[in-house]
Amino acid sequence: MKREIKFLGIFFVTLFLGFGVIFAQSLEESLQMMLEKNAKGYTQPLITGLGTAMNSGLYKKASCETGMIPLPIGIDIGLVTNAAFLPSDESFEYDLMENTITFPLHEINAELPNLDLKFSDLYEADKEQTPTIASDEKGVELTQKTYSEIIDAMINELGNKGILNPDQYRAVIESQFDEDEISTLVFPFQFPDGLNIPVVPVAGLQANIRIPFGIEISARALPEVEISEEIGKFKMYGLGLRKSIPVPVVDVSAGAFYQTMQIGGFFEANNLNFHVEVGKRLPIPIIKIYPYAGIGMDKTDLTLQYTIPAAKVPGIDKDKELKFEMEGENKFRTTLGLTLQAIPFTYINLEGSVGKYSSATLSAGFIFK
């Protein structure tokens, strides 16, 4: 049994870290195509799914109590593997008002201001929505509007800036910005494809210590790993606290768990979960079976920091640094689980939860009291 648990631990940790390397590289490349609003729409399912997965498998039974003999302390340690299931058909309504392209009119005529035209003035697309990171669809392609439409947009913007009779400058503008020059500034652009992520896996080593008065202290972590020299290190750790609540007939506990995950300097997710669970050991001799049900509330906050390289996106002529925060959509969840102790000093736990997204948990390890 020890060999099997060790093998499973190595397998799932390797799987998770492998996913993390691929995910980090692909995510950063995709983000480099978008400013804040579109980046939030693109990554929303991932953030929600990550919070769902990280906040799963936090406990294995409803009681935190431990026996008094030989010591009033209970300990268990094991590998927790979680998976959140993301919808593969989600898309979001992209924003063409966020990006702009500058037309330096002041350089050709001192009476004219430079113009910042939005993508909505310069591009058109046959779809109003583009896929999220979870989808397997291709990103929406933006195509340049006709030359005359773009010139008209420039004339209209001059009027918006208070230039009287802006149409008198049409010939000057057309002489400076011919069709080739316009195509150089307004080059074809495509939103990033979905990365086809139907499942977000999260794995961690978790230890729980139960002490007198029905208190359980928990810690979850993975070793620090350098993904690459460019991206940086992967870190994940968390702490939790639970307390048994004395009620008749059944076991009841309540607690909280805080976790953080960092990928280099560009990705940091913080997760907080409050939970209450109820359950009872089944009256079966020799084999210990602990079914339980729980409810909880998740809160996931994410900070993204990345650089859009010069000339990768129309209108961005030099490297642009971005940093912003966003929240996951995961809130309340319900949980059903079962822990089996069929072999002395070992356990296997199965759990499922339903909230904004569903999740599944498999954990196994060693337990003393």
Side-chain angles (χ1 to χ4, degrees), residues 101-105 108 115 117 119 121-123 143-155 170 172-189 314-315:
I101 295 179
T102 300
F103 293 83
L105 299 189
I108 62 175
L115 296 182
L117 294 187
F119 272 26
D121 299 321
L122 306 169
Y123 289 98
T143 56
Q144 175 191 315
K145 288 187 176 181
T146 65
Y147 177 72
S148 60
E149 288 176 323
I150 292 176
I151 297 298
D152 287 343
M154 296 171 70
I155 299 299
R170 183 179 295 270
V172 175
I173 293 173
E174 289 178 343
S175 66
Q176 180 66 27
F177 296 99
D178 58 18
E179 293 191 27
D180 289 340
E181 180 67 18
I182 291 291
S183 296
T184 300
L185 292 171
V186 190
F187 54 85
F189 176 78

Side-chain angles (χ1 to χ4, degrees), residues 1-2 5 60-61 66 69-71 73-79 210 286-288 290 339-349 363-369:
M1 184 68 177
K2 292 182 180 180
I5 291 176
K60 292 181 288 300
K61 55 185 179 180
T66 182
I69 300 175
L71 292 174
I73 295 176
I75 299 173
D76 64 78
I77 183 169
L79 175 69
R210 288 169 292 282
I286 303 176
I287 297 177
K288 297 179 181 180
Y290 298 91
T339 295
L340 172 67
Q341 293 177 236
I343 301 175
F345 306 114
T346 67
Y347 73 88
I348 295 177
N349 172 254
S363 63
F366 303 96
I367 186 169
F368 172 71
K369 297 174 66 175

Side-chain angles (χ1 to χ4, degrees), residues 7-137:
F7 171 78
L8 284 173
I10 294 173
F11 173 77
F12 280 110
V13 171
T14 302
L15 175 66
F16 173 56
L17 293 178
F19 169 83
V21 171
I22 298 171
F23 150 74
Q25 293 171 337
S26 300
L27 174 61
E28 188 170 38
E29 291 174 3
S30 297
L31 289 174
Q32 288 172 348
M33 303 295 291
M34 296 174 291
L35 295 178
E36 180 175 340
K37 289 183 180 178
N38 290 318
K40 286 182 175 180
Y42 181 73
T43 57
Q44 187 67 69
L46 173 68
I47 308 314
T48 303
L50 184 62
T52 300
M54 290 186 70
N55 288 327
S56 297
L58 301 179
Y59 48 86
K60 292 181 288 300
K61 55 185 179 180
S63 174
C64 302
E65 300 289 348
T66 182
M68 300 300 294
I69 300 175
L71 292 174
I73 295 176
I75 299 173
D76 64 78
I77 183 169
L79 175 69
V80 182
T81 60
N82 303 312
F85 304 100
L86 278 55
S88 61
D89 58 350
E90 280 197 349
S91 58
F92 70 98
E93 189 170 339
Y94 54 83
D95 187 349
L96 293 185
M97 305 293 285
E98 194 174 20
N99 295 70
T100 60
I101 295 179
T102 300
F103 293 83
L105 299 189
H106 190 69
E107 296 179 7
I108 62 175
N109 189 318
E111 298 178 1
L112 301 178
N114 292 334
L115 296 182
D116 293 324
L117 294 187
K118 299 179 177 63
F119 272 26
S120 56
D121 299 321
L122 306 169
Y123 289 98
E124 56 188 4
D126 58 354
K127 296 180 181 179
E128 295 183 352
Q129 295 192 332
T130 191
T132 66
I133 192 172
S135 174
D136 60 357
E137 299 292 327

Side-chain angles (χ1 to χ4, degrees), residues 54-319:
M54 290 186 70
N55 288 327
S56 297
L58 301 179
Y59 48 86
K60 292 181 288 300
K61 55 185 179 180
S63 174
C64 302
E65 300 289 348
T66 182
M68 300 300 294
I69 300 175
L71 292 174
I73 295 176
I75 299 173
D76 64 78
I77 183 169
L79 175 69
V80 182
T81 60
N82 303 312
F85 304 100
L86 278 55
S88 61
D89 58 350
E90 280 197 349
S91 58
F92 70 98
E93 189 170 339
Y94 54 83
D95 187 349
L96 293 185
M97 305 293 285
E98 194 174 20
N99 295 70
T100 60
I101 295 179
T102 300
F103 293 83
L105 299 189
H106 190 69
E107 296 179 7
I108 62 175
N109 189 318
E111 298 178 1
L112 301 178
N114 292 334
L115 296 182
D116 293 324
L117 294 187
K118 299 179 177 63
F119 272 26
S120 56
D121 299 321
L122 306 169
Y123 289 98
E124 56 188 4
D126 58 354
K127 296 180 181 179
E128 295 183 352
Q129 295 192 332
T130 191
T132 66
I133 192 172
S135 174
D136 60 357
E137 299 292 327
K138 292 187 66 64
V140 166
E141 295 183 17
L142 303 183
T143 56
Q144 175 191 315
K145 288 187 176 181
T146 65
Y147 177 72
S148 60
E149 288 176 323
I150 292 176
I151 297 298
D152 287 343
M154 296 171 70
I155 299 299
N156 290 336
E157 185 62 19
L158 284 176
N160 293 335
K161 287 186 173 293
I163 302 298
L164 299 178
N165 189 20
D167 200 60
Q168 65 178 304
Y169 298 102
R170 183 179 295 270
V172 175
I173 293 173
E174 289 178 343
S175 66
Q176 180 66 27
F177 296 99
D178 58 18
E179 293 191 27
D180 289 340
E181 180 67 18
I182 291 291
S183 296
T184 300
L185 292 171
V186 190
F187 54 85
F189 176 78
Q190 180 181 352
F191 282 98
D193 299 338
L195 297 183
N196 190 21
I197 304 178
V199 177
V200 177
V202 173
L205 297 171
Q206 182 167 326
N208 305 303
I209 300 177
R210 288 169 292 282
I211 59 177
F213 307 107
I215 295 173
E216 181 178 80
I217 302 169
S218 303
R220 180 185 287 183
L222 272 178
E224 243 181 56
V225 176
E226 185 168 20
I227 294 177
S228 69
E229 189 173 333
E230 295 78 14
I231 294 177
K233 293 183 177 181
F234 168 90
K235 303 177 185 177
M236 191 188 83
Y237 54 88
L239 292 171
L241 182 67
R242 279 206 307 154
K243 175 72 172 67
S244 284
I245 301 173
V247 299
V249 184
V250 295
D251 299 323
V252 179
S253 292
F257 211 106
Y258 173 82
Q259 297 178 83
T260 185
M261 176 188 289
Q262 299 173 16
I263 301 177
F266 91 97
F267 182 101
E268 180 176 346
N270 297 306
N271 298 281
L272 182 62
N273 174 272
F274 298 97
H275 55 84
V276 176
E277 48 278 357
V278 58
K280 189 70 175 178
R281 178 185 171 181
L282 297 181
I284 299 175
I286 303 176
I287 297 177
K288 297 179 181 180
I289 302 177
Y290 298 91
Y292 58 85
I295 57 172
M297 185 178 72
D298 296 340
K299 188 178 187 302
T300 302
D301 298 310
L302 176 76
T303 300
L304 286 174
Q305 182 173 358
Y306 58 95
T307 302
I308 299 179
K312 189 166 187 176
V313 176
I316 297 181
D317 301 323
K318 58 183 180 179
D319 290 357

